[in-house]
Amino acid sequence: MGKVTMGVAVVGSAAVCAAAALIMRHRMRISNRCVTAADILKELEEKCATPASKLKQISDAMTVEMHAGLASEGGSKLKMLISYVDNLPTGEEQGVFYALDLGGTNFRVLRVQLTGKSSIECQEFAEVSIPPQLMVGDAETLFDYIAAELAKFVADESEKFQLLAGRQRELGFTFSFPVMQLSIDSGTLIRWTKGFSIEKMIGQDVVAHLAEAMKRQGVNMRVSALVNDTVGTLAGGRYGNKDVVAAVILGTGSNAAYVERAQAIPKWHGPPPKTGEMVINMEWGNFRSSHLPLTEYDNKLDSESLNPGEQIFEKMISGMYLGEILRRVLLRMAEDAALFGDTVPPKLKTQFILRTPEMSAMHHDTSPDLNVVGSKLKDVFDISDTPLPTRKIVVEICNIMATRGARLAAAGILGILKKTGRDTVRDGDIPDTVVAMDGGLYEHYTEYRHCLENTLHELLGDEVGKHVKLVLSTDGSGIGAALLAASHSQYV
């Protein structure tokens, strides 16, 4: 009996020792794992560094590219497209104006009643899905469908919308596909994106197609403005604030537009605008400079993208890509530092599985145990029971990538302010400057927004910085388009 007891004790002791050894090895693996991950983290932080000196180099490079793009077509990575918008809303516009926003599998129609006192008295909109077969059919069928839905919307116009006597209804057309704009109310399609493929329309005037369809559907309406959504954001901001001189969209993608002196546009060969100004659509997502802090993750993302070598700036700062860069860093840590254990989680290898809203939620997690981080890793990657040190590493990567993106965006805005002479005191005067901002990244990613605003103030300094404001101005593709229809009305 005693031998049995002793044997059990020996076996039990051995089991305890083995368990203790396993625990020690597990702790050592976690410790070593975090040290290795910390090395990768340190390297990432160094390569993503954006000191003020580097940001000023980037803003200077942006300004140089702006000059080159205004001098000649194809002279710069920045297209610096002439928008033909030379008459921004003043707030004095009155009457009913419509907008049509076509940019994906849905389109919106919208109407506003303008009071002439920088205010919108009322507005209504409807959203309509486009049947998939129309996206790859023929132009006449597609535009007839759109015009028919517009006709229904017009027919529902209530008495609170008052069309001024003797006037035809007018519309701003936001067409979010690559277009070569020929005038304020005409432009030819360069190529389709977003699942559309109607080859015969390429090279044809998109406004003419819409106008002909409206005529066939009995819609008595004139297209007064063909609008880019960034230019629309600028118009929407200017309607309520005369100090708005630029607009930046930071959402899935990114772009900027600003008001330029007509004399500073050498490639403009048309008659001088009455206002002496022209809105320029920069297409700043395509900006590139040797000063940009690119990493191996950026280079690989670019090389594997649908447009390698293009839209480099956008790939570093916009919502489409921030979450994907985070995923790539986590994958490297999982492969090289066993961040999530001995096996690399399979879903971690799936491109674009991690969206920027999830990254934002993890970055903003203030719970003691970082429970939001843990739940997002579980929901997105099927990674369970992550220890707190691992979660902290994830948050730190979020912070590094969001900070880099926000600070680069601030440098881009500084470039615009430099180009327009609003970055410094001139003749003892500092003009008040407002940049209209739109996009879900700017609106909803609080840490990103605060970092961008603080960085811009840091770069400008206190004296000038207090005269520059970033103001949220939503729905440039809708309300902004309607306002541009008003400011470019045939009756103005």
Side-chain angles (χ1 to χ4, degrees), residues 10-30:
V10 170
V11 171
S13 176
V16 169
C17 289
L22 282 170
I23 290 170
M24 286 300 296
R25 282 200 296 273
H26 181 66
R27 286 178 176 169
M28 287 175 66
R29 277 204 303 271
I30 290 176

Side-chain angles (χ1 to χ4, degrees), residues 275-293:
T275 60
E277 296 178 331
M278 180 71 73
V279 175
I280 298 296
N281 167 20
M282 290 177 62
E283 294 293 339
W284 86 349
N286 207 41
F287 172 68
R288 185 165 193 169
S289 164
S290 60
H291 299 298
L292 290 175

Side-chain angles (χ1 to χ4, degrees), residues 138-443:
D138 63 89
E140 185 172 312
T141 305
L142 172 65
F143 279 92
D144 275 349
Y145 177 78
I146 292 170
E149 293 296 328
L150 177 60
K152 293 177 191 174
F153 186 67
V154 174
D156 284 340
E157 185 179 283
S158 64
E159 292 181 359
K160 61 186 176 183
F161 292 91
Q162 298 293 321
L163 184 68
L164 296 179
R167 291 197 173 187
Q168 181 186 26
R169 288 178 179 81
E170 295 180 282
L171 173 141
F173 182 21
T174 301
F175 186 75
S176 299
F177 301 91
V179 165
M180 175 61 70
Q181 193 134 359
L182 305 173
S183 69
I184 186 60
D185 58 1
S186 66
T188 57
L189 176 66
I190 296 172
R191 67 181 180 276
W192 287 107
T193 57
K194 306 172 189 176
F196 283 78
S197 182
I198 304 173
E199 292 300 319
K200 290 184 179 178
M201 256 199 78
I202 293 174
Q204 296 184 5
D205 186 350
V206 297
V207 173
H209 274 285
L210 177 60
E212 290 162 6
M214 288 194 299
K215 189 175 180 180
R216 287 192 296 269
Q217 298 298 324
V219 180
N220 183 19
M221 190 177 291
R222 175 179 178 268
V223 180
S224 299
L226 177 62
V227 180
N228 165 276
D229 58 354
T230 315
V231 176
T233 298
L234 176 51
R238 175 66 76 92
Y239 183 68
N241 190 330
K242 62 180 176 56
D243 294 326
V244 171
V245 296
V248 173
I249 290 183
L250 285 163
T252 303
S254 184
N255 193 16
Y258 75 104
V259 181
E260 181 59 274
R261 293 177 300 109
Q263 292 180 335
I265 313 173
K267 68 180 180 182
W268 170 251
H269 302 300
K274 288 182 289 185
T275 60
E277 296 178 331
M278 180 71 73
V279 175
I280 298 296
N281 167 20
M282 290 177 62
E283 294 293 339
W284 86 349
N286 207 41
F287 172 68
R288 185 165 193 169
S289 164
S290 60
H291 299 298
L292 290 175
L294 289 160
T295 68
E296 63 185 89
Y297 311 103
D298 299 295
N299 293 330
K300 198 167 182 186
L301 181 150
D302 176 54
S303 67
E304 294 173 1
S305 70
L306 296 174
N307 55 345
E310 302 294 325
Q311 301 297 109
I312 299 300
F313 194 55
E314 181 175 76
K315 288 170 183 173
M316 298 180 77
I317 69 173
S318 76
M320 174 105 180
Y321 302 100
L322 288 177
E324 171 62 7
I325 296 171
L326 170 60
R327 180 198 67 83
R328 288 171 179 267
V329 177
L330 292 176
L331 178 60
R332 161 98 191 276
M333 288 186 173
E335 290 176 337
D336 295 356
L339 182 64
F340 300 112
D342 296 331
T343 305
V344 176
K347 285 190 175 182
L348 198 54
K349 298 179 181 180
T350 304
Q351 291 190 13
F352 292 96
I353 192 173
L354 179 63
R355 302 179 313 121
T356 299
E358 278 84 37
M359 171 181 168
S360 173
M362 292 191 290
H363 193 177
H364 293 115
D365 188 0
T366 57
S367 63
D369 295 328
L370 297 177
N371 293 324
V372 174
V373 177
S375 66
K376 291 298 179 186
L377 292 174
K378 176 69 172 69
D379 294 343
V380 177
F381 299 119
D382 284 341
I383 302 173
S384 303
D385 303 322
T386 47
L388 185 58
T390 298
R391 297 180 188 188
K392 287 182 176 179
I393 288 172
V394 173
V395 173
E396 187 55 36
I397 302 168
C398 292
N399 187 59
I400 291 170
M401 303 321 305
T403 297
R404 183 188 70 164
R407 288 177 68 82
L408 290 177
I413 294 172
L414 178 62
I416 297 173
L417 299 180
K418 281 177 179 285
K419 176 67 181 71
T420 54
R422 290 173 174 266
D423 65 318
T424 187
V425 180
R426 295 183 187 274
D427 301 324
D429 182 48
I430 306 175
D432 288 330
T433 298
V434 177
V435 180
M437 306 293 296
D438 195 8
L441 179 64
Y442 179 81
E443 184 175 3

